[in-house]
């Protein structure tokens, strides 16, 4: 039986995108990942600029990586060490199946 893979998802403010992506590109735990522009909804209105308040959404970047639990734990530790207190929301989910079609 193969080792379980996990999907690490992080939501970044656009101002953090380059800094976090640069770290991920050089981290030994990562081999490949995706990043996508997304919109966040339901944020505290006081945290939004005027345009975001009118639109009811804020621009964000979603990053997803597939990796082992050990690598996920190591990468999260690396992020906490190199970017302390930066406030990046994340979640880690088991991958039920993966492959190519």
């Amino acid at each position: 039986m193969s080792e379980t893979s996990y999907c690490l998802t992080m939501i970044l403010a656009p101002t953090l995108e380059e800094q976090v992506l640069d770290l991920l590109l050089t981290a030994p735990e990562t081999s490949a990942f995706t990043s996508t522009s997304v919109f966040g909804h339901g944020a505290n209105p006081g945290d939004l600029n005027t345009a975001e308040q009118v639109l009811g959404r804020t621009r964000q970047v979603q990053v997803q990586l597939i990796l082992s639990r050990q690598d996920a734990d190591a990468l999260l530790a690396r992020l906490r060490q190199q970017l302390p207190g930066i406030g990046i929301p994340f979640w880690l989910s088991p991958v039920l199946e993966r492959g190519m079609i």
Side-chain angles (χ1 to χ4, degrees), residues 26-83:
T26 61
E29 300 86 8
T30 63
S31 59
F33 59 90
T34 61
S35 62
T36 308
S37 292
V38 296
F39 289 104
H41 303 271
N44 179 358
D47 294 338
L48 305 177
N49 66 36
T50 304
E52 291 170 338
Q53 288 178 27
V54 170
L55 293 172
R57 63 184 181 229
T58 183
R59 209 171 275 289
Q60 298 174 320
V61 178
Q62 179 177 293
V63 178
Q64 291 188 305
L65 307 90
I66 304 294
L67 58 178
S68 71
R69 182 59 196 250
Q70 179 179 354
D71 284 345
D73 291 342
L75 181 60
L76 288 169
R78 179 182 308 283
L79 288 163
R80 287 183 182 109
Q81 177 195 31
Q82 294 186 15
L83 305 170

Side-chain angles (χ1 to χ4, degrees), residues 1-17:
M1 185 171 182
S2 64
E3 180 179 349
T4 301
S5 294
Y6 290 83
C7 179
L8 173 60
T9 302
M10 296 181 284
I11 303 296
L12 312 175
T15 56
L16 300 175
E17 181 179 11

